[in-house]
């Protein structure tokens, strides 16, 4: 629910949010849960501004390197 919130792409804490998300998903050992988060992140990109989309794609790329 938080990822799909419309004020998130404009938030000043967006960098901290993505850092926390990356660290926690990298440490997660349950692949189905990680894939669920990736799916939700990509769904949130549909209505987001370009900078948010690029950040999401970078996050997904880094997760793919780990998992």
């Amino acid at each position: 629910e938080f990822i799909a919130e419309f004020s998130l792409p404009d938030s000043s804490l967006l960098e901290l949010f993505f850092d926390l998300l990356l660290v926690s998903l990298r440490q997660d050992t349950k692949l189905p849960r990680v894939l669920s988060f990736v799916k939700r992140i990509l769904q949130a990109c549909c209505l987001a501004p370009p900078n948010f989309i690029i950040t999401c794609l970078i996050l997904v790329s880094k997760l793919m390197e780990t998992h």
Side-chain angles (χ1 to χ4, degrees), residues 18-67:
F18 277 113
D19 286 340
L20 179 63
L21 194 58
L22 180 62
V23 169
S24 61
L25 289 175
R26 275 187 173 170
Q27 293 178 356
D28 197 347
T29 58
K30 302 213 185 263
L31 189 58
R33 183 169 40 211
V34 174
L35 292 176
S36 294
F37 268 98
V38 169
K39 180 181 174 184
R40 288 191 178 120
I41 289 168
L42 293 176
Q43 286 175 343
C45 289
C46 291
L47 300 173
N51 62 336
F52 183 83
I53 296 170
I54 291 170
T55 306
C56 289
L57 293 176
I58 291 170
L59 176 78
V60 170
S61 172
K62 289 181 179 182
L63 286 174
M64 288 175 64
E65 292 173 358
T66 305
H67 292 284

